[in-house]
Amino acid sequence: MTSRNWVKLFISTLLIGGLATGVTGFIVRWAEFARFFKEFNIIEILAILFWLIGVGFIFSLLSQAGFFAYLTIHRFGLGIFKSVKLWNAIQVVLIGIVLFDLVYLRYELFAADNDSLLPYIGLMLLVLIPGLIVAYLKARQTNKSAFIPALFFMIVVTVLEWVPILRVNEESWVYLMIFPLLICNAYQLLMLTKINEKSLEERKSIQLKTNKPTKKPSNA
């Protein structure tokens, strides 16, 4: 991938993260912000929107750091295990562990006596279902072997990025962060193939121009 395409991906992901957080913030914290809309307080609404977008930029940067880390880890894993099937099997095990911990550990840490397990399972499904959808789209976009790595990224890496808020367990922040992370991670994963294809075409175009034979000087 050329540096120009990396910059485009960085900026577009940054903007998507800001926009997603702006929209999500007003939805998940509507009870807090509704009065400003009722009062038609444009200044407060814009101030909140800019603040949410700024927070979204931070979420986007975290998402991009996780994405680049995963690309390195994926190559590292393939290099160590020397087998796509073995590396995929290890990733499936890690996915299972993370999903189990997302339910069990949070329930053990935060649940009160007689609390239902269903909300914790629901939060796990909030990560699993989009992960399966994006992994399916990635596999259709490239090949079947991309399904497990894409699922690993969408679940394991997303949860790791989400951990700081999960530890605090502030409900509004939990939902405020997860939706932009999922959107940014899905966008980067699905755009990577298109950007790589575009970069390859650009390299081929440059090579053709470089290797183009020069015309012989005329004898006239």
Side-chain angles (χ1 to χ4, degrees), residues 105-171:
L105 288 182
R106 294 192 73 252
Y107 184 78
E108 287 293 313
L109 287 172
F110 302 117
D113 293 339
N114 301 320
D115 271 1
S116 173
L117 191 64
L118 290 178
Y120 298 89
I121 295 175
L123 201 64
M124 178 270 290
L125 293 175
L126 187 62
V127 178
L128 176 60
I129 293 172
L132 289 170
I133 294 171
V134 173
Y136 170 76
L137 293 174
K138 184 67 177 181
R140 288 199 62 181
Q141 190 183 56
T142 53
N143 53 67
K144 292 181 180 179
S145 64
F147 181 85
I148 297 301
L151 188 63
F152 179 88
F153 172 69
M154 288 300 300
I155 292 176
V156 177
V157 177
T158 299
V159 171
L160 289 175
E161 294 165 351
W162 198 20
V163 162
I165 296 300
L166 289 175
R167 286 179 177 175
V168 176
N169 199 38
E170 175 62 39
E171 185 176 359

Side-chain angles (χ1 to χ4, degrees), residues 81-92:
F81 298 107
K82 307 294 183 182
S83 167
V84 174
K85 289 184 178 179
L86 179 57
W87 174 228
N88 281 349
I90 292 169
Q91 289 182 94
V92 169

Side-chain angles (χ1 to χ4, degrees), residues 175-193:
Y175 292 104
L176 178 64
M177 188 177 192
I178 188 56
F179 289 108
L181 283 181
L182 287 170
I183 291 169
C184 287
N185 285 345
Y187 173 76
Q188 291 177 99
L189 193 63
L190 295 176
M191 284 300 295
L192 182 64
T193 302

